[in-house]
Amino acid sequence: MSSKNAYIGLGSNLSDPKAQVTQALRELDLIADTKLIKASSLYTSKPMGPSDQPDYINAVAKISTQLSAEQLLDELQNIEHIHQRQRKSQRWGPRTLDLDIILFGDEQIDSTRLQIPHYGVAEREFVLIPLQELQADLIIPGKGSVTELIEKLPPYRLDKLNNNGKPQS
Ligand code: ROI
């Protein structure tokens, strides 16, 4: 069976976000026919969307998988469910765990369930900066290189966490 590399964005801002993301990284490695290759550092980031919600913990994981993008999405939604993600009515509101497929091999997918590359990747520093940490020369199909996209971002509102879990300063 052929394997593809995929990049998964992880985000949480409820119920011990650092533990949610750390645990989810382990769970990615437990998905059938899927291996965690590398995880970025954890980052704290200011919320994109309504500002009356806690800061987020974000990371990006590089995985290798034999699943299709749809099968992988099913598995990610299952993990979100285990983390008791509640889908609230508020758009861009707080969440216990969000797992997004950012890239899936070099595939471009536009279906009812999936948009790959992820539609928001070019504007999201909390995705681009961890992606750059994992692979500096990455190209996002249809959007450009991660480095170029980062140069176009407004000033960052995120910090890398140290091993002690505190923002670096
Ligand atoms: N904002 C930040 N900083 N990090 C996220 O993961 C995140 N996820 C979201 C919205 C609500 C858009 N804002 C976010 O889904």
Side-chain angles (χ1 to χ4, degrees):
M1 270 292 283
S2 72
S3 293
K4 289 206 160 147
N5 288 334
Y7 290 84
I8 311 298
L10 301 92
S12 167
N13 71 343
L14 290 178
S15 311
D16 194 351
K18 197 172 158 233
Q20 299 284 351
V21 170
T22 308
Q23 179 61 23
L25 286 168
R26 285 194 212 108
E27 287 159 351
L28 289 180
D29 195 51
L30 299 176
I31 296 174
D33 301 322
T34 300
K35 281 279 148 261
L36 176 67
I37 296 177
K38 205 168 168 214
S40 74
S41 307
L42 302 187
Y43 293 79
T44 78
S45 65
K46 296 287 172 201
M48 174 183 189
S51 56
D52 60 340
Q53 58 177 318
D55 287 357
Y56 280 78
I57 295 290
N58 283 111
V60 170
K62 180 179 186 178
I63 63 171
S64 162
T65 187
Q66 295 178 18
L67 303 180
S68 68
E70 272 76 18
Q71 288 171 325
L72 179 61
L73 179 63
D74 289 339
E75 297 288 345
L76 299 182
Q77 288 182 344
N78 183 36
I79 295 173
E80 287 179 344
H81 186 72
I82 295 165
H83 286 249
Q84 295 182 320
R85 167 153 178 208
Q86 291 147 25
R87 286 177 184 268
K88 299 243 174 69
S89 52
Q90 189 196 10
R91 184 170 185 249
W92 286 5
R95 59 247 357 255
T96 40
L97 184 65
D98 212 359
L99 298 174
D100 291 324
I101 305 176
I102 308 296
L103 294 175
F104 192 81
D106 58 3
E107 289 187 28
Q108 293 186 265
I109 303 174
D110 202 349
S111 69
T112 42
R113 287 189 76 202
L114 270 177
Q115 209 178 330
I116 295 175
H118 188 270
Y119 70 94
V121 62
E123 294 82 43
R124 297 187 173 190
E125 62 194 13
F126 55 85
V127 175
L128 290 173
I129 305 280
L131 262 183
Q132 186 190 42
E133 183 193 338
L134 288 179
Q135 197 178 327
D137 61 357
L138 199 63
I139 307 285
I140 315 254
K143 298 188 193 273
S145 78
V146 165
T147 314
E148 269 165 28
L149 294 169
I150 287 175
E151 280 166 9
K152 291 185 198 146
L153 287 173
Y156 307 157
R157 297 159 72 236
L158 92 170
D159 277 301
K160 197 190 270 196
L161 288 188
N162 272 327
N163 290 333
N164 64 13
K166 304 249 163 44
Q168 290 177 0
S169 54

